[in-house]
Amino acid sequence: MGPLDGLKVVELAAVGPGPHAGMYLADLGADIVRIDRLGGEQIGRPDASDPMLRGRRRVDADLKTDEGRATLRALVEHADVLLEGYRPGVVERLGVGPDELLAVNPRLVYARATGWGREGPLADRGGHDLNYLSLTGALHALGAADACPPPPLNMVGDYGGGSMLLLTGVLAGLWHAARTGRGQVVDAAMIDGVVGLSQKVWSLLAQDRWVDARESNVIDGHAPYYRTYRCADGGFMAVAAIERKFYAQLLDGLGLDPADVPDRDDRHAWGRLAARFEEVFATRPRPEWEAVFADLDACTTPVLSWSEAPHHPQIAARGSIVHAHGAHQAGPAPRFSATPPALPAPMADPIPLDHVLAGWAP
């Protein structure tokens, strides 16, 4: 049993941050019931084989019907948290918005995830991870200076900026409810989350230590000691030897004498220094470089594929990626000393409402 054992959560089926946040809550021991129908259409991937949906029980309810709304209200009456991820106005039109559900359960933490937020000219527009990065400055900083900014998968907006912010709001809301007896609405917008994740850059800008152009700063690929290099076999090594002690071991691993390479503190020489590193890395395949740096504290690591990552000794030792129920998936995190979470079972088949209420009702 995890640290959230006994927490009762209702999740309205959606895509993006809601299911991801639900996975974390389920991993930590929360009892989550997912309502898989909105207006009679399946939303997201209500497929028991999807590891992100692990640890849920399911109840079917068409929220466009009186019966479906009654089902939701019956669950909410005993729940601690509701997760909702629809466009602004959708649940209000259905009659199951925050006002209605907080009237049913004043202690409820009504946690909403949106892309653009609930105010502003784009509030009712669609969007995806790439859009939220594009308007917040984050996308502008990614990629090579002479190429289009690359989509960084959907990790930054949907999950880093979305579900992690939503989880923070849920836990803060629960703390407030425990002390005051009053629930509230948590409004987690992905654009807010992306900006929050970008605070380091905003701080550097405030200190005149960031150049607002791609490949112009230490951590955006401009510095030769913080970037990736191609190996002889087409694989890559990631170099993050920012501190001098790590940089010294990087040179040692590459077999380079500090006196024979440009000064790392001379930004005008970074191009020549990077070219020298490129030349050396290109002489050997990635596995050989991996072996060279295995025992050096040089912040230099292989760039592993999705199929390789689960087998790396560090990943395996932590159980960061586990193989369970026929698939590789993220292991439960974070870890707790007194209440270690366990990997939940796959999402269950739909069950009758009264089966849930039998365990939830006082």
Side-chain angles (χ1 to χ4, degrees):
M1 296 192 299
L4 295 183
D5 181 53
L7 185 72
K8 297 183 285 293
V9 179
V10 176
E11 176 190 347
L12 300 185
V15 296
H20 191 237
M23 181 191 78
Y24 273 89
L25 294 174
D27 287 357
L28 298 180
D31 183 359
I32 301 185
V33 173
R34 175 179 163 104
I35 293 184
D36 256 337
R37 292 180 182 272
L38 177 66
E41 295 181 0
Q42 295 289 348
I43 303 296
R45 287 185 57 202
D47 180 350
S49 68
D50 183 354
M52 192 180 293
L53 302 182
R54 66 199 185 202
R56 270 75 147 193
R57 294 184 290 170
R58 287 195 280 169
V59 170
D60 283 342
D62 183 349
L63 299 183
K64 289 186 176 181
T65 67
D66 290 340
E67 182 182 4
R69 289 188 288 269
T71 294
L72 176 58
R73 286 193 291 270
L75 289 169
V76 163
E77 183 178 356
H78 304 290
D80 302 297
V81 178
L82 180 131
L83 299 177
E84 180 254 295
Y86 304 125
R87 288 198 199 185
V90 170
V91 290
E92 285 83 357
R93 289 193 295 272
L94 292 170
V96 288
D99 291 344
E100 291 84 1
L101 296 188
L102 282 167
V104 171
N105 180 358
R107 296 176 57 89
L108 181 71
V109 176
Y110 193 115
R112 325 184 76 167
T114 61
W116 302 115
R118 312 198 73 78
E119 304 87 14
L122 298 182
D124 61 351
R125 298 277 189 89
H128 284 293
D129 192 281
L130 198 62
N131 305 121
Y132 312 134
L133 268 66
S134 74
L135 291 195
T136 53
L139 189 62
H140 180 261
L142 302 179
D146 59 353
C148 295
L153 305 182
N154 65 340
M155 297 177 181
V156 180
D158 281 356
Y159 300 143
S163 55
M164 294 297 108
L165 188 66
L166 186 65
L167 286 168
T168 300
V170 165
L171 298 178
L174 287 170
W175 172 254
H176 176 265
R179 290 184 299 114
T180 67
R182 299 192 308 274
Q184 60 183 307
V185 179
V186 176
D187 178 8
M190 284 175 255
I191 55 167
D192 298 343
V194 171
V195 172
L197 292 174
S198 307
Q199 182 54 51
K200 177 61 176 179
V201 175
W202 290 111
S203 295
L204 292 171
L205 282 165
Q207 301 169 67
D208 293 324
R209 295 171 55 198
W210 184 269
V211 179
D212 195 10
R214 297 210 307 280
E215 280 195 309
S216 301
N217 304 276
V218 170
I219 59 173
D220 65 359
H222 185 38
Y225 47 81
Y226 198 88
R227 51 170 287 186
T228 58
Y229 291 93
R230 186 183 297 272
C231 305
D233 60 350
F236 297 91
M237 293 292 289
V239 173
I242 296 178
E243 292 83 358
R244 294 186 183 280
K245 61 182 180 179
F246 301 137
Y247 183 76
Q249 295 207 42
L250 169 66
L251 294 185
D252 185 43
L254 293 174
L256 294 173
D257 187 327
D260 296 334
V261 297
D263 182 1
R264 60 164 269 162
D265 292 329
D266 181 2
R267 283 180 171 252
H268 298 292
W270 276 3
R272 290 186 289 117
L273 183 57
R276 184 71 180 111
F277 289 169
E278 288 175 351
E279 179 183 1
V280 176
F281 273 112
T283 62
R284 304 173 74 170
R286 197 199 75 189
E288 291 188 17
W289 286 122
E290 188 173 356
V292 166
F293 286 101
D295 296 320
L296 291 175
D297 200 9
C299 295
T300 300
T301 51
V303 178
L304 302 181
S305 68
W306 295 105
S307 59
E308 292 173 315
H311 308 292
H312 188 275
Q314 181 61 33
I315 301 293
R318 283 283 297 177
S320 301
I321 301 172
V322 298
H323 190 274
H325 312 300
H328 280 108
Q329 52 191 288
R335 315 297 168 82
F336 297 83
S337 60
T339 53
L343 188 74
M347 183 170 63
D349 291 332
I351 60 175
L353 174 64
D354 57 2
H355 288 199
V356 178
L357 297 181
W360 276 20

